[in-house]
Amino acid sequence: MSATAAADPLLAAPLGDGEVLQLFLDGGWAPAADGASFASEDPSTGMPWASVAEAGPVDVDRAVQAARRAFEGAWGSVNAADRARILWRTAELVDRHRDALAQLESRDNGKAIRETRAEIAGVVRCFEFFAGVCQGVRGATLPRTGPAFVYTLREPVGVVGAITPWNSPLVMFAWKVCPALAGGNAIVVKPAEQTSVSALALAGLMRELELPAGTVNVLPGLGPRAGAALAEHPGVDKIAFTGSTAVGRELAATAAQTLKLVTFELGGKSANIVFGDADLDAAVDRSAFGIFSAAGQSCQAASRMLVERSVKEEFVSRLIAKAESIRVGGALDVRTQMGAQVSKRQLEQIERYVALGVEEGAQLCTGGVRPGLEGELAGGFFYTPTVFDQAENTMRICREEIFGPVTAVMSFEDEQEALALANDSDYGLSGAVWTSDVKRAHRVAAGLRCGMVWVNSYRTWSPITPFGGYKQSGYGRENGVEVMEHYTQTKSVWVDMQDRIPDWYAS
Ligand code: ADP
């Protein structure tokens, strides 16, 4: 463990007096049952900076049992008003520690501090919103159609298993934990192995709330081991997963064995459609943000830019200039506009795709290399903002998720062709349309086969807005009051109102 991780006050609780960040399980800190641990790297330097306990199937089983006890015991009897207070107090805790949490997240993930600060502010909003949702989740009284009075109850699903990705670790933690607690569920979270630290830090902070033991458990571990054990566990009622479509497919099959409820937020290959009548300055700036923010590691990344032929040359030259102006650097440096990729593996995947794009015949206009930073950043996982022009929608760089700062520009003649290209994808997460024609904006928004559309903007989110994809981008929605459909189940209660129930066997 480097001095820096050990010195971080937010990690004092998970660290105890040892060197390895512990699992948060059944209300306390614990090493992995088999003593395993793994290193978490600082992507800005490529050096390990924290050592984290690695949960295995035994730990998963313990956590699920603890969650079940909480759900059937003390946590299950906490009413909606008190759950709301817990969520609100969590928002206050995150807000109070927002700078420290952002630092930790940038260190562990490589994302620029200006971005993690905005993300932590989003986490606060998320807990605040779901505090409000708690008491709004309610059943219905149904119209009388016979002798019974029928009402419905909205009940928790029970124990939620959450498997989260590394690209926005604490935001993804909040997107699962908030609706789970709002609905009265207990939860076991398996954060991504690349970025487990912030979830442990927040679990440490949440101890102040004195939640019943087992209500929230955080088990860092590897996907095929801890993640798979969670998905297989018969004591888990629902899996909430954000990650790659490939793993989502596997988890769907695993979860089907025990018929768990599932929500999946998977990959994307989003189309950003720019018409000739768009405000080109705004379109270039925000489209650049759409692909290069989070260093391109976003399921919503604007990885396909569809531009009307009349403005394509102009758009591309301005996009290149923008890409070349972006300051790539260490995550903790406030001047940095784009941080590191999360891992060497990820960096190499991007390099393979860029080589493939060139091989496929797309024109590499800018980027396509590591920036060659110096000093302690020399070993960091940095890549330059990359733009391909003359791409074809049949190319693999236009069909597969690269998850890096690489976009491919294609041109189109008219609205119909733009929509056909945009929708010709296995994915359907998000899309955008840039135009000053309000009718066209709405037509295109309606015509896109995806879960989220921006008009004259890109990559904004809020906890009140449903988030999720069509096609192979996933099942179900996160956020919004709508998400509570996925974290509660409906029970119908029949109350017979007849003085006397007729005897079916009387005649
Ligand atoms: P990426 O390829 O971008 O790392 P993944 O889909 O592999 O995305 O990872 C997202 C989350 O899924 C992580 O928490 C990871 O540990 C987990 N995961 C990966 N493989 C499996 C698996 N076979 N079963 C369960 N979880 C998995």
Side-chain angles (χ1 to χ4, degrees), residues 162-167 190-195 221-232 239 241-248 250-251 254 265-266 342-343 345-346 349 401 403:
I163 300 176
T164 59
W166 44 260
N167 59 341
K190 207 258 349 130
E193 50 272 41
Q194 298 85 344
T195 56
L222 307 181
R225 195 157 174 258
L230 196 56
E232 280 162 17
I239 289 289
F241 170 71
T242 301
S244 61
T245 292
V247 172
E250 258 181 64
L251 287 177
T254 308
E265 203 270 280
L266 308 175
V342 78
S343 64
R345 176 173 157 246
Q346 202 58 31
Q349 166 168 310
E401 189 173 46
F403 228 68

Side-chain angles (χ1 to χ4, degrees), residues 153-348:
L153 296 172
R154 295 280 296 279
E155 298 189 333
V157 298
V159 174
V160 175
I163 300 176
T164 59
W166 44 260
N167 59 341
S168 297
L170 216 51
V171 173
M172 294 297 114
F173 181 85
W175 285 17
K176 311 292 191 260
V177 170
C178 290
L181 298 188
N185 305 280
I187 186 165
V188 179
V189 185
K190 207 258 349 130
E193 50 272 41
Q194 298 85 344
T195 56
S196 328
V197 173
S198 57
L200 291 173
L202 183 51
L205 290 173
M206 286 176 77
R207 285 176 320 154
E208 185 181 316
L209 307 175
E210 296 182 349
L211 280 168
T215 306
V216 176
N217 306 272
V218 182
L219 298 193
L222 307 181
R225 195 157 174 258
L230 196 56
E232 280 162 17
H233 201 294
V236 172
D237 299 293
K238 171 200 163 70
I239 289 289
F241 170 71
T242 301
S244 61
T245 292
V247 172
R249 221 172 265 131
E250 258 181 64
L251 287 177
T254 308
Q257 300 310 307
T258 43
L259 290 173
K260 291 179 174 55
L261 302 171
V262 288
T263 39
F264 288 159
E265 203 270 280
L266 308 175
K269 198 72 201 174
S270 300
N272 181 54
I273 306 174
V274 182
F275 284 94
D277 63 354
D279 171 348
L280 219 54
D281 288 334
V284 170
D285 288 353
R286 197 73 196 180
S287 302
F289 177 80
I291 181 64
F292 301 130
S293 57
Q297 303 169 112
S298 162
C299 49
Q300 298 189 299
S303 53
R304 292 186 301 151
M305 304 263 182
L306 310 184
V307 188
E308 191 165 357
R309 197 172 301 285
S310 57
V311 291
K312 212 261 303 186
E313 291 305 308
E314 179 66 20
F315 179 88
V316 170
S317 73
R318 291 208 217 171
L319 184 65
I320 293 169
K322 193 80 191 171
E324 291 175 353
S325 77
I326 292 174
R327 290 190 299 272
V328 179
L332 292 172
D333 185 339
V334 290
R335 289 165 306 173
T336 292
Q337 293 174 324
M338 192 174 111
Q341 305 301 312
V342 78
S343 64
K344 183 151 180 278
R345 176 173 157 246
Q346 202 58 31
L347 183 62
E348 289 173 351

